[in-house]
């Protein structure tokens, strides 16, 4: 893409909106109240708003390599805190995608420098599910399954963030795990049941009195 063309595109985009609604940008400047927090991959092919048909103001977005929710990443935790506590979003989505370069890199035993600690989040997902994953002979299927399991584990990480599980328990927020298939363009809801998954997640940390 020609970087100079971007400013021409921007002018066209402005007039397209103003043709339909004189107050479009005035209205946008007044504030946001999105109902969805979307956490997805930085991959240039997985365009968050475009594939969902969402307009500006509708989705609060965070993207990083392989849609990870580490419990020590101030960036993603701040986004989650702001979205849940202040914007009061109703839905939190973790969206992975097939053919994810981050997932692929995590499956290979290469030294990738600064990416190593980031990819370890995904390598840990592999370790947790290694019996299931190692039983899949076909490499592409194993890779795709790791994409799905990474979404599951990142949803669990999300659930474990205090403000999220409190909002979830109060029925204010629902958690969704999705996968985008680049080959077909399809967005797939993994239909994760956090009423079930959430139950017992904290039992390993706290011993209940008899
Ligand atoms: Co990716």
């Amino acid at each position: 893409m020609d970087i100079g063309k971007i400013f021409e595109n921007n002018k066209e985009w402005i007039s397209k909106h103003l043709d339909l609604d004189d107050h479009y940008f005035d209205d946008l400047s007044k504030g946001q109240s999105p109902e969805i927090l979307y956490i997805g991959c930085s991959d240039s092919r997985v365009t968050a708003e475009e594939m969902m048909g969402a307009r500006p103001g509708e989705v609060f977005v965070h993207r990083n390599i392989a849609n990870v929710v580490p419990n020590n990443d101030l960036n993603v935790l701040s986004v989650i805190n702001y979205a849940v506590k202040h914007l009061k979003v109703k839905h939190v989505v973790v969206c992975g995608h097939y053919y994810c370069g981050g997932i692929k890199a995590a499956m290979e035993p290469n030294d990738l420098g600064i990416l190593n600690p980031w990819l370890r989040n995904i390598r840990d997902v592999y370790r947790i599910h290694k019996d299931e994953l190692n039983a899949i002979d076909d490499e592409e299927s194993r890779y795709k399954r790791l994409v799905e399991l990474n979404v599951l584990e990142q949803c669990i990480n999300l659930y474990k963030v205090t403000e999220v599980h409190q909002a979830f328990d109060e029925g204010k927020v629902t958690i969704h795990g999705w996968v985008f298939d680049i080959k077909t363009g399809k967005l797939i809801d993994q239909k994760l049941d956090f009423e079930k998954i959430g139950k017992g997640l904290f039992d390993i940390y706290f011993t209940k009195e008899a």
Side-chain angles (χ1 to χ4, degrees), residues 125-142:
V125 173
Y126 198 109
R127 178 177 49 77
I128 294 166
H129 297 277
K130 70 175 188 304
D131 291 345
E132 177 185 344
L133 288 163
N134 287 342
I136 304 170
D137 286 332
D138 178 56
E139 199 182 327
E140 185 170 326
S141 309
R142 191 161 72 239

Side-chain angles (χ1 to χ4, degrees), residues 41-43 45-46 64-67 97 99-103:
C41 185
S42 297
D43 193 301
R45 300 163 297 176
V46 188
N64 61 35
I65 293 175
N67 42 272
H97 68 100
Y99 312 103
C100 179
I103 300 288

Side-chain angles (χ1 to χ4, degrees), residues 75-104:
N75 189 350
V76 72
L77 294 177
S78 302
V79 168
I80 292 167
N81 179 284
Y82 187 69
V84 172
K85 289 202 88 163
H86 300 281
L87 294 174
K88 301 192 188 309
V89 295
K90 294 178 180 155
H91 307 276
V92 188
V93 174
V94 175
C95 184
H97 68 100
Y98 294 141
Y99 312 103
C100 179
I103 300 288
K104 184 90 181 152

